[in-house]
Amino acid sequence: QKTSQRSLEQLVELTKRYYVTEKAGQLAKDLEKLAKEQGDLAEDKINSDTTNKDQEKLNQQFEELTKELDELQNDNKDLKKPIDLNVSEDTKQGVKDNQEQALEEIQKYQGNEQASDMEKMKQNASSAKKNQKSAAQKMKEMSEALGDSSSGGGASSVAEDAEMLRQILDNLVVFSFK
């Protein structure tokens, strides 16, 4: 009974580890997609409401992804041997700051557009684009770090996991005969 209890605990641990690695891979893909959208927005010409709404939408999507990432990190801490997720708080905060600054610059651009101040409009547009590109680059880095940790962590522990599964199966066979 102790052996079967240990086998079940190992199976639960493996399931949690699989969930964490899969979720990290999915978040990496979502971040990659969001980084591409942010980069595309940086390439587009700034115009009235669409750019403002698009940037707000991207900010909200990134906020949702960071919440999911925080949940993933909590799930990862519950593992007996946590996986190194390689995502720094500084990078997350940097993306948020860049996105906020880009949004502010877009709003200033629109305010100057109504005042017909061409010089300030150009400054605002250039600053907004710079912040958008920086946010996109940082998101891409986060995506790569998450992708590396989900695949790299899995590769080093494949043999260990295979051995654990073999042990679980052996224990289940012995237990079923008893």
Side-chain angles (χ1 to χ4, degrees):
Q1 195 171 10
K2 284 182 182 179
T3 306
S4 64
Q5 179 68 28
R6 192 175 66 227
S7 294
L8 288 174
E9 287 172 4
Q10 288 174 337
L11 193 57
V12 168
E13 178 72 14
L14 282 174
T15 305
K16 287 180 182 178
R17 180 176 289 279
Y18 175 74
Y19 167 77
V20 168
T21 55
E22 286 300 307
K23 184 71 174 177
Q26 183 60 45
L27 282 175
K29 288 177 189 172
D30 292 347
L31 270 169
E32 179 90 29
K33 183 180 171 193
L34 196 60
K36 184 177 181 339
E37 289 177 25
Q38 183 71 67
D40 291 346
L41 187 61
E43 298 298 319
D44 291 346
K45 187 175 184 342
I46 293 181
N47 55 26
S48 56
D49 287 341
T50 56
T51 307
N52 194 9
K53 288 177 185 172
D54 291 343
Q55 186 62 50
E56 285 176 351
K57 182 180 156 197
L58 289 176
N59 290 10
Q60 186 176 0
Q61 287 175 337
F62 183 73
E63 190 64 37
E64 290 170 10
L65 278 177
T66 53
K67 284 179 186 173
E68 287 183 39
L69 189 57
D70 291 341
E71 289 173 16
L72 179 68
Q73 287 174 327
N74 287 336
D75 290 341
N76 189 36
K77 286 177 188 172
D78 292 342
L79 293 175
K80 289 178 184 171
K81 294 180 183 176
I83 299 167
D84 186 17
L85 292 176
N86 299 330
V87 177
S88 71
E89 289 297 317
D90 293 341
T91 309
K92 277 198 284 190
Q93 193 57 45
V95 171
K96 284 181 187 177
D97 292 345
N98 285 139
Q99 286 185 321
E100 298 282 325
Q101 290 170 354
L103 189 59
E104 286 175 23
E105 292 297 330
I106 290 168
Q107 289 167 347
K108 286 180 188 175
Y109 174 89
Q110 291 166 351
N112 289 329
E113 190 175 45
Q114 293 168 350
S116 298
D117 189 347
M118 295 303 272
E119 188 59 37
K120 285 188 178 179
M121 283 172 55
K122 286 181 183 177
Q123 288 176 346
N124 294 138
S126 129
S127 180
K129 289 191 179 304
K130 190 174 91 177
N131 281 312
Q132 287 173 330
K133 286 179 183 176
S134 177
Q137 181 60 35
K138 287 177 183 171
M139 276 189 244
K140 199 175 203 93
E141 289 170 11
M142 283 176 66
S143 169
E144 289 170 1
L146 259 181
D148 289 347
S149 63
S150 69
S151 64
S156 66
S157 66
V158 167
E160 185 180 309
D161 292 346
E163 183 60 36
M164 208 180 297
L165 280 173
R166 189 175 295 114
Q167 183 182 358
I168 291 170
L169 286 174
D170 288 343
N171 292 342
L172 285 173
V173 169
V174 169
F175 182 70
S176 66
F177 283 125
K178 287 183 180 178

